[in-house]
Amino acid sequence: MPMRFLLLFSRQGKLRLQKWFTPLTDREKKKVIRDVMALVLARPPRSCNFLHWRDIKVVYKRYASLYFCTGLEDQDNELLTLEVLHRYVELLDKYFGNVCELDIIFNFEKAYYILDEFLMGGEVLETSKVAVSVSMENADTLQETMEEYMNRPAF
Amino acid sequence: MHTHTAMSPSVPLQEMIRAIRSARTQCEERGVIQRECAAIRAQFRQADNGGRSHNLAKLLYVHMLGYPAHFGQMECVRMIASPRYSEKRVGYLGAMMLLDEKQDASLLITNSIKNDLSHSNQYVQSLALCTLACMGSAEMCRDLAPEIDRLLRASNSYIKKKAALCAVHIVRKVHELGELFVPAARSLLSEKNHGVLHGAVVLIIELCEQNPETLERFRKTVPDLVQIMKGLVLSGYSPEHDVAGISDPFLQVRILRLLRILGRNNEGASDSMNDLLAQVATNTDSTKTVGNAVLYETVLTVLDIKSESGLRVLAVNILGRFLLNNDRNIRYIAMTSLQKIVGTDHNAVQRHRGTIVDCLKDQDASVKRRALELSLALVSASNIRSMMKELLLFLSSCPPELRAHAASGIFNAAERYAPSQRWHIDTMLHVLITAGGDVRDETVPNLIQLITNASELHCYTVHKLYRALLLDISQQSLVQVACWCIGEYGDLLLKGDCQETEPVQVTEDDALDALETVLQSHMSSPATRGFALTATMKLSTRITDNVDRIRSIVSIYGSCIDVELQQRAVEYNALFRKYDHMRAAVLERMPVIEKNSPGHTNGESTGEAVKDVPTAKMKQGEPLLLQQPANQVCDLLDLLGGSEETLQPGPAVDCLVSGLSVHAAGTAGGDLLDLLGGFEPAELSPAPQVLAYDKGGVTLTLSCEKQSDTGLTVTLTASNSSDSDLSSFTLQAAVPKSVQLHMKAPSGDSLPARGTAKVTQMVVLNNPNKVNLKMRVRVSYTRQGSPFQDTVQIDSFPGLDAAGQ
């Protein structure tokens, strides 16, 4: 039932984010990345967003220069997964303001934090866009507050 | 370029990223990264300097580029233990990226996670929950499960929803812990917060799937779930959860999934959700993907539970509408769903056949694949002609990766529903001409057998094949069949007149030219050349003028480099010289080849390629003749050559010849072989088979053969009729103490779906004390990544009496 992984990669095959929801060895992860990337990048435009690889269904969607790609089990709802990918893009967009690939490259840890407020264990964690944004704001504030506090010169 | 010493301040993350990206070559990039890693390592060794989180973040970036970062693992452990939130945040992120449950270092963070789960700040708690759900090992899960349960009951919504999904992970890792979470999961259903509700539904789904008893208990929640769904579907606009007019589609889909699980195989539960499902099906807006996602899940649920027929029709109609949707994705999933129900609701799916067949022409490869599968499933006796037209059209333009599947599907369909022999032969020829390179090896003997059976069409067939051969000799299977036919029916080819086709004059030279072209072409495979040579030889008894030409061809190939061809040529030479009196009988027309069983063709049951040498143990007598007509002749000659001294010349030889001709003209070739006594008699009566196990589409049958007073050989045959392939299939057996057991190696360990191949394994038993024979068999396999095991006890063995004697 859960998603098995989430990958973000560019048209040139550069990986920008990888989240794994099942335990795999480094070697296995590299194989998945290589194979799935090759399959997805070979697809002509305006293709169906679903394809099969081994025993999993791959759902992918291209947003500007980035491919958002996930692997599903046989039972899962592909159409809803497209919505999940779209929601993640919207969250990134809200956070970064007109998000582009460079934002995700230079602030990759933020992309992960946002993902972790939206998905957990391969399942959707929070279905409200607002709630995720609020959590991120609060967590960021907490981080800055702590840093300010730590950096304040001691008299 | 930056230079670093151990004491310099750390370069901020973004500067490092910039530096890496500005590297012009891979080598330069490696250089930058090596320097950065060295600096990071040095920084790790230093005492706390306020920049630790930046350092680790830099390392994580480097890791994402594919460079090794294992030296950062301990730093993650340290950062997680730090009191600073910024450091914890990066530390936990690092743990999720660099550590997994297999690493030893992951154990070291268990304590930190435990502490952070009860931290006063919810964002710290959240980090711990997230990390546990991501990479928590079974041990960690066991250790921390009670804490998660506590959080499920007594905390705020933010933590509850995370605890719920964390519990899901725990239950997946350690099934027995499911019981612990049942009460909390139940009570969470009354929460209002969508995140918590969603998490609760996911948790309940997991609990129900793991344990059927738990599923029984949760059935009582169906009315509550129906209420929640109703609220979502009928409520007004809720800005927080709205997606294109649908209120919280994620939650809706999850609830529908849970309803599906609870309604499956249960009339009562299915009844109580009937109205709701009808409501969702009719009210959901289907103009956007999100609405269709909900409709899709609804359809899947309706088709899986015990819904009333009206609702089922509604569901199939929704799929029909999907098929007409402009969006490829929607068409694709419609076909996937229809495929699942084509067995049970065949007529309903047939209504949409036209649209499905149109999808064969879609540009997209995924859609084409689905359409092919579904089209093949919809072929029936009433639509075979029109469907075959479409399928053949598809075959001529389909993508290469689908051709083999399409060709074999077409053959199966033709085999089952052919309205006439001529249609069947025409269809098979068409496939060979279009996609001859992609058909399976056994197609050639199958087609030949079909042709021999259609005796009134021999003339038509050989003319058609001859013409095809003139056009193209690159498709090996087609060429092989054509050669065989020209050799066998050459006399009909040369006669020229044929009712079914236009008369065309073929001279003996024309026919020999065609065969010689095949023999000499670099495109012909060795097997094909064998066919051509034998056909040439056969023509020697069917033509009158050009026998010398054949003689010279045959003698040339007597020194061919290919050993197989050389052997044949040498033996044919011998047939010309020493045994010329036998030539006519030996090369006579073949008898009609019987099929060995309905629905199966010769090659498929044995899976042998045409090129197999007949020394392999035969299961039936007939195919041997077909597969190796030339070798047949050779063996004949060998036997005659070898026993020449013992045989009386003259009358005895004539007797043999007449014996041969009687048998050749008459019944199945098995008798011919018996006459010569050179091969083991075919085992024609199969041993009685008993079905020992049948679950989840996996069947196990066994048959026995007594070898001696106490010895017994049991053959276990496994087959998989489900829709998913099984791998790592193994059988283990146990018998009573005094019985000796020896399991031979199995034929394989994978069982493809829909019974396309079987696995057999022999078990040799010795029962010296003649005790009551019982055997316990354990079946294990992996289906879609999940292992499965089951045990069955076999108390009676076919062919033995009740006491197992």
Side-chain angles (χ1 to χ4, degrees):
Chain A
M1 215 195 11
M3 301 197 317
R4 298 251 195 114
F5 57 80
L6 176 68
L7 302 174
L8 263 67
F9 51 87
S10 70
R11 230 347 292 120
Q12 288 75 41
K14 281 250 156 91
L15 193 64
R16 298 300 178 204
L17 187 144
Q18 51 174 320
K19 187 80 185 178
W20 301 91
F21 300 113
T22 52
L24 292 177
T25 63
D26 265 347
R27 200 150 164 222
E28 288 165 337
K29 286 181 192 171
K30 285 200 161 71
K31 176 126 180 52
V32 174
I33 293 170
R34 211 178 32 238
D35 288 355
V36 173
M37 240 199 250
L39 276 177
V40 171
L41 289 174
R43 299 278 279 186
R46 284 190 303 281
S47 293
C48 183
N49 292 97
F50 315 129
L51 53 92
H52 261 275
W53 178 72
R54 298 210 183 150
D55 62 335
I56 59 174
K57 304 198 275 206
V58 173
V59 177
Y60 73 95
K61 189 122 198 257
R62 184 171 168 187
Y63 288 90
S65 60
L66 272 183
Y67 282 92
F68 286 66
C69 176
T70 177
L72 301 180
E73 317 243 323
D74 202 43
Q75 303 289 340
D76 290 336
N77 185 325
E78 297 99 315
L79 293 180
L80 191 73
T81 308
L82 281 176
E83 290 300 314
V84 170
L85 292 177
H86 191 74
R87 173 58 67 90
Y88 182 47
V89 172
E90 286 179 324
L91 291 170
L92 290 170
D93 197 50
K94 176 98 196 299
Y95 184 82
F96 289 109
N98 268 333
V99 67
C100 64
E101 191 181 343
L102 283 177
D103 290 319
I104 298 178
I105 294 170
F106 281 95
N107 300 284
F108 71 95
E109 77 278 18
K110 295 285 166 57
Y112 277 100
Y113 297 151
I114 295 171
L115 186 63
D116 288 339
E117 291 297 321
F118 173 47
L119 300 176
M120 196 158 129
E123 306 277 357
V124 170
L125 168 65
E126 178 53 69
T127 60
S128 154
K129 269 192 276 195
V130 167
V132 174
S133 304
V134 165
S135 316
M136 276 304 289
E137 269 176 49
N138 292 343
D140 284 346
T141 310
L142 183 62
Q143 182 166 328
E144 281 158 23
T145 314
M146 290 294 288
E147 284 184 11
E148 269 178 37
Y149 176 73
M150 296 312 299
N151 289 335
R152 204 177 298 159
F155 287 103
Chain B
M1 306 269 194
H2 301 265
T3 49
H4 297 283
T5 64
M7 300 307 283
S8 70
S10 54
V11 171
L13 169 65
Q14 306 206 338
E15 269 191 52
M16 182 197 80
I17 297 178
R18 223 167 271 131
I20 293 174
R21 281 169 63 78
S22 59
R24 276 159 298 163
T25 62
Q26 182 78 326
C27 189
E28 221 179 293
E29 179 182 286
R30 264 201 299 272
V32 173
I33 290 188
Q34 260 172 3
R35 266 193 304 277
E36 290 294 340
C37 283
I40 292 168
R41 262 186 155 116
Q43 295 286 343
F44 282 170
R45 282 196 291 269
Q46 276 196 335
D48 178 9
N49 57 11
R52 284 167 68 192
S53 46
H54 289 298
N55 266 325
L56 187 54
K58 284 198 281 185
L59 183 61
L60 295 179
Y61 183 81
V62 163
H63 170 75
M64 194 154 60
L65 291 176
Y67 294 90
H70 41 268
F71 60 89
Q73 287 175 3
M74 284 314 292
E75 184 69 5
C76 293
V77 176
R78 261 176 296 208
M79 297 274 273
I80 288 172
S82 155
R84 290 186 199 147
Y85 178 69
S86 58
E87 292 182 353
K88 270 195 202 287
R89 216 180 183 191
V90 179
Y92 274 117
L93 178 63
M96 286 192 275
M97 285 174 77
L98 301 180
L99 295 175
D100 58 45
E101 56 180 41
K102 299 190 182 90
Q103 317 273 9
D104 294 329
S106 67
L107 286 173
L108 298 172
I109 64 173
T110 312
N111 224 32
S112 295
I113 293 183
K114 201 180 213 156
N115 292 335
D116 285 339
L117 280 176
S118 10
H119 199 278
S120 51
N121 187 305
Q122 66 178 8
Y123 294 102
V124 174
Q125 283 179 299
S126 144
L127 291 174
L129 283 166
C130 188
T131 309
L132 182 60
C134 176
M135 38 87 59
S137 65
E139 276 174 61
M140 286 162 77
C141 289
R142 260 187 267 265
D143 206 3
L144 299 167
E147 186 60 23
I148 304 299
D149 187 51
R150 190 183 68 77
L151 290 172
L152 271 179
R153 298 162 193 276
S155 54
N156 59 32
S157 309
Y158 182 72
I159 294 300
K160 271 190 190 160
K161 74 185 183 202
K162 298 209 176 197
L165 289 185
C166 197
V168 170
H169 172 84
I170 291 176
V171 171
R172 283 183 187 144
K173 267 275 178 279
V174 185
H175 299 331
E176 303 84 65
L177 288 172
E179 196 50 45
L180 172 65
F181 295 117
V182 169
R186 179 73 188 82
S187 58
L188 284 176
L189 273 184
S190 35
E191 294 271 335
K192 293 286 171 247
N193 178 294
H194 281 221
V196 178
L197 256 182
H198 187 275
V201 173
V202 174
L203 178 57
I204 295 174
I205 289 175
E206 194 63 36
L207 293 171
C208 290
E209 282 184 333
Q210 300 276 3
N211 189 332
E213 283 164 23
T214 315
L215 199 160
E216 289 294 329
R217 284 151 70 186
F218 272 108
R219 251 199 210 106
K220 305 188 206 90
T221 63
V222 169
D224 297 324
L225 292 167
V226 167
Q227 271 308 109
I228 299 172
M229 254 322 258
K230 272 212 175 94
L232 290 171
V233 172
L234 300 174
S235 70
Y237 176 71
S238 148
E240 200 183 342
H241 297 109
D242 183 271
V243 179
I246 312 277
S247 187
D248 207 338
F250 305 104
L251 182 57
Q252 286 197 28
V253 167
R254 276 291 172 256
I255 294 180
L256 286 167
R257 170 72 68 87
L258 180 54
L259 287 174
R260 179 146 103 236
I261 293 172
L262 296 175
R264 213 180 261 156
N265 295 324
N266 187 296
E267 298 266 358
S270 300
D271 278 340
S272 45
M273 55 180 85
N274 208 67
D275 287 344
L276 169 74
L277 292 173
Q279 209 162 35
V280 176
T282 36
N283 285 351
T284 306
D285 176 18
S286 58
T287 48
K288 297 264 175 59
T289 306
V290 63
N292 287 325
V294 174
L295 277 174
Y296 178 44
E297 194 74 28
T298 313
V299 165
L300 290 179
T301 300
V302 166
L303 294 174
D304 208 8
I305 63 173
K306 294 209 175 288
S307 45
E308 57 174 44
S309 59
L311 191 55
R312 241 181 138 75
V313 168
L314 181 59
V316 178
N317 285 347
I318 291 178
L319 289 179
R321 269 202 339 258
F322 277 1
L323 276 179
L324 299 165
N325 197 303
N326 279 330
D327 187 337
R328 258 195 193 117
N329 294 331
I330 312 266
R331 291 208 297 277
Y332 177 90
I333 54 123
M335 286 195 280
T336 315
S337 316
L338 288 170
Q339 184 83 40
K340 291 197 186 119
I341 58 165
V342 75
T344 49
D345 299 71
H346 192 88
N347 291 331
V349 182
Q350 279 282 6
R351 254 178 255 133
H352 303 284
R353 196 177 72 242
T355 326
I356 293 168
V357 165
D358 280 339
C359 288
L360 283 172
K361 305 188 186 91
D362 196 299
Q363 299 290 343
D364 185 271
S366 302
V367 172
K368 270 194 166 73
R369 179 186 292 270
R370 285 272 156 257
L372 174 64
E373 290 276 0
L374 205 43
S375 301
L376 289 173
L378 288 176
V379 173
S380 72
S382 49
N383 60 34
I384 179 72
R385 284 188 192 267
S386 53
M387 282 300 274
M388 194 51 80
K389 269 205 207 86
E390 298 287 347
L391 287 170
L392 289 175
L393 196 61
F394 173 71
L395 188 65
S396 53
S397 60
C398 84
E401 64 270 11
L402 288 179
R403 285 166 81 138
H405 188 66
S408 85
I410 287 174
F411 282 148
N412 287 339
E415 173 102 19
R416 289 176 74 185
Y417 302 113
S420 73
Q421 278 184 327
R422 176 170 164 179
W423 181 94
H424 196 171
I425 290 175
D426 279 342
T427 305
M428 286 185 87
L429 289 187
H430 192 132
V431 174
L432 285 184
I433 293 171
T434 325
D438 295 294
V439 300
R440 295 215 293 269
D441 287 337
E442 52 263 23
T443 310
V444 171
N446 288 352
L447 181 53
I448 288 176
Q449 183 221 15
L450 183 65
I451 290 172
T452 61
N453 270 298
S455 28
E456 40 322 329
L457 291 171
H458 286 167
C459 188
Y460 165 75
T461 311
V462 71
H463 272 273
K464 206 157 171 191
L465 280 167
Y466 172 73
R467 260 186 286 249
L469 197 63
L470 290 181
L471 289 173
D472 176 18
I473 58 168
S474 62
Q475 304 273 37
Q476 298 306 296
S477 20
L478 181 67
V479 173
Q480 286 173 8
V481 177
C483 287
W484 191 92
C485 283
I486 293 175
E488 191 65 10
Y489 308 122
D491 47 328
L492 298 173
L493 179 67
L494 296 168
K495 243 193 279 181
D497 60 341
C498 179
Q499 294 134 322
E500 312 262 355
T501 64
E502 296 145 31
V504 76
Q505 265 301 35
V506 181
T507 66
E508 294 181 0
D509 272 321
D510 290 334
L512 286 172
D513 282 342
L515 290 174
E516 237 187 318
T517 315
V518 173
L519 260 177
Q520 291 165 352
S521 165
H522 62 278
M523 286 192 281
S524 303
S525 72
T528 309
R529 293 169 84 194
F531 269 90
L533 188 61
T534 305
T536 309
M537 186 61 191
K538 282 195 207 169
L539 279 181
S540 71
T541 53
R542 288 151 174 85
I543 61 175
T544 46
D545 302 327
N546 271 314
V547 185
D548 282 336
R549 182 174 170 188
I550 295 180
R551 246 190 267 261
S552 64
I553 293 175
V554 162
S555 71
I556 289 173
Y557 278 87
S559 43
C560 175
I561 280 186
D562 185 305
V563 174
E564 171 73 28
L565 278 180
Q566 191 190 110
Q567 182 179 357
R568 290 187 191 215
V570 163
E571 281 157 354
Y572 295 156
N573 251 324
L575 198 55
F576 267 124
R577 297 209 214 102
K578 272 208 292 190
Y579 301 100
D580 201 45
H581 49 276
M582 299 182 64
R583 189 160 50 90
V586 167
L587 299 175
E588 222 183 42
R589 182 84 96 236
M590 293 259 191
V592 168
I593 299 160
E594 301 289 333
K595 278 183 164 203
N596 50 353
S597 62
H600 273 299
T601 41
N602 283 334
E604 275 171 358
S605 49
T606 59
E608 290 163 7
V610 179
K611 309 183 236 357
D612 275 355
V613 177
T615 49
K617 180 150 184 240
M618 294 182 314
K619 300 192 179 87
Q620 277 88 15
E622 300 92 327
L624 182 63
L625 248 189
L626 171 62
Q627 285 163 355
Q628 292 293 333
N631 275 9
Q632 179 60 46
V633 174
C634 301
D635 291 322
L636 253 174
L637 295 175
D638 274 343
L639 272 153
L640 289 169
S643 55
E644 204 179 40
E645 303 81 49
T646 55
L647 269 178
Q648 303 306 316
V653 175
D654 284 340
C655 177
L656 263 170
V657 169
S658 53
L660 278 174
S661 47
V662 162
H663 284 278
T667 53
D671 294 329
L672 185 62
L673 303 174
D674 277 351
L675 174 71
L676 298 172
F679 299 90
E680 296 162 29
E683 178 60 72
L684 290 172
S685 56
Q689 291 242 329
V690 159
L691 183 69
Y693 174 83
D694 185 359
K695 211 194 253 188
V698 178
T699 54
L700 195 62
T701 55
L702 65 90
S703 64
C704 314
E705 216 181 293
K706 263 187 95 62
Q707 305 293 352
S708 70
D709 197 32
T710 58
L712 175 72
T713 309
V714 175
T715 306
L716 297 163
T717 309
S719 169
N720 168 23
S721 63
S722 72
D723 278 333
S724 37
D725 295 338
L726 306 178
S727 58
S728 309
F729 184 86
T730 45
L731 296 168
Q732 292 163 294
V735 287
K737 266 205 198 125
S738 63
V739 180
Q740 290 144 17
L741 172 117
H742 171 57
M743 290 192 92
K744 303 222 161 178
S747 64
D749 74 343
S750 63
L751 271 180
R754 292 181 217 110
T756 43
K758 296 187 198 288
V759 163
T760 50
Q761 186 161 17
M762 291 228 295
V763 182
V764 179
L765 298 173
N766 191 20
N767 186 2
N769 296 355
K770 303 215 179 161
V771 301
N772 211 343
L773 193 58
K774 293 180 195 303
M775 186 160 78
R776 194 170 292 164
V777 176
R778 180 190 289 170
V779 177
S780 348
Y781 55 83
T782 305
R783 183 202 292 269
Q784 292 167 352
S786 334
F788 177 83
Q789 243 183 31
D790 204 355
T791 320
V792 62
Q793 173 133 333
I794 300 169
D795 293 318
S796 67
F797 293 80
L800 303 181
D801 62 27
Q805 307 306 321

